[in-house]
Structures are given as C-alpha cells and as structure tokens.
Amino acid sequence: MPNSPTLLGMGITGYTSAEGISFSQLINIERLLNSTGRSVYLENEELLDGVTALSGSGPAYFYYIVDAMIKAGVEMGIEENLSKLFVQQTMLGAYHLINNSDKSLEELIKDVASKGGTTEAALKTFNENNLKEILTDGILNAEKRAKELNG
C-alpha cells in the first residue's frame, strides 16, 4: 500500500509477496518501489490493512490537522497565506527535528511546552478533549474499514 507522497518520491510503501517469488524478483520489486520513496517488506500480509490505515490514509490526517491550524491562524486575524506559511514551515521544521534528534517525541514536546506557557495551555485543551484517543480511534476505524474492503 503506497501513500500519496510517492508522487514526489517521498512516500512509503508496505508490501508483501506471493509464494513462488524468487529473491531476485523480490529485489527488483523493492528497487521499483524504492523509486517512489521507501518500501518496507512485511512478512505478514494481514498487516497491510494497518499500513493502509496508518500510512496510506496518513497524509489526509496531517492535511486535516494542518488545515485546522491554518484556520485557527485566520481566526486570530492572520491572513490565510501567512497563516499557511507559518504552519507549513513549522511542520517542516518539526519533521526535521523528529528525524534528526535523539530525543523522544515526549521530550520534544516538553522542550516546547514551558510550564504555564502557551503550548501547555493548548496541550491541556487537547488532552481534556482526548485528541490522542480520537486520532487513534479514527486510525483503528480506518484499519477496520480496510479489513472490510478486503473481505
């Protein structure tokens, strides 16, 4: 299951193989898939529904969150194009910190969330409204739907 960033060569594809595929054929398949980003071979085909829910559908989850952030900026009086610029650059920087830091996500969050500060206020609201659980439930429902579609 590829995701839409494969269009830019920045995607990831989870795949498996049928019986009878030779090692050299598998290497050729992986080379082809890696031309669109990265690929991960899964021994267990049943995991593909989870990959669909997590990665195949995943870009839409990020777009959804980014859209909410941009709209919040507009609601605060920031012009839409500037709000979009602030959110996109923030997302890009956060992505690079995730990939280049040895810190856990919890540590990265704590680095930004000063005690009694603005980030802490937002995170408190997210936690009070169970945002993590809502996101997790949505992703698990996507997996459930993938299983239904695969019969």
Side-chain angles (χ1 to χ4, degrees):
M1 165 53 77
N3 63 11
S4 58
T6 60
L7 297 169
L8 301 173
M10 300 201 55
I12 188 162
T13 302
Y15 73 101
T16 190
S17 66
E19 280 190 43
I21 299 289
S22 71
F23 182 73
S24 65
Q25 290 172 318
L26 202 56
I27 294 298
N28 287 333
I29 291 167
E30 188 164 311
R31 281 187 188 133
L32 176 66
L33 293 174
N34 285 343
S35 70
T36 65
R38 297 180 68 180
S39 64
V40 177
Y41 179 78
L42 301 168
E43 298 266 340
N44 183 350
E45 183 177 359
E46 291 180 18
L47 293 175
L48 286 175
D49 293 325
V51 170
T52 298
L54 193 61
S55 180
S57 299
Y61 311 150
F62 287 103
Y63 305 150
Y64 188 87
I65 292 167
V66 166
D67 184 54
M69 292 175 70
I70 292 168
K71 286 179 177 165
V74 170
E75 193 169 320
M76 292 182 284
I78 300 170
E79 290 181 27
E80 185 173 0
N81 62 332
L82 287 177
S83 184
K84 186 175 179 180
L85 176 64
F86 279 113
V87 173
Q88 288 175 325
Q89 190 62 38
T90 300
M91 178 181 59
L92 181 63
Y95 160 80
H96 283 288
L97 277 172
I98 289 169
N99 280 330
N100 294 302
S101 175
D102 292 332
K103 294 182 178 184
S104 69
L105 291 173
E106 290 80 14
E107 290 171 313
L108 290 170
I109 291 168
K110 284 181 183 177
D111 287 349
V112 179
S114 305
K115 187 113 178 113
T118 58
T119 306
E120 186 180 72
L123 292 174
K124 181 180 178 197
T125 301
F126 298 159
N127 288 330
E128 287 172 352
N129 288 283
N130 300 312
L131 181 57
K132 276 188 182 180
E133 290 83 4
I134 291 168
L135 290 170
T136 299
D137 287 349
I139 294 165
L140 293 175
N141 279 330
E143 179 198 31
K144 179 181 173 188
R145 182 63 180 143
K147 288 181 185 300
E148 292 169 357
L149 292 171
N150 285 324

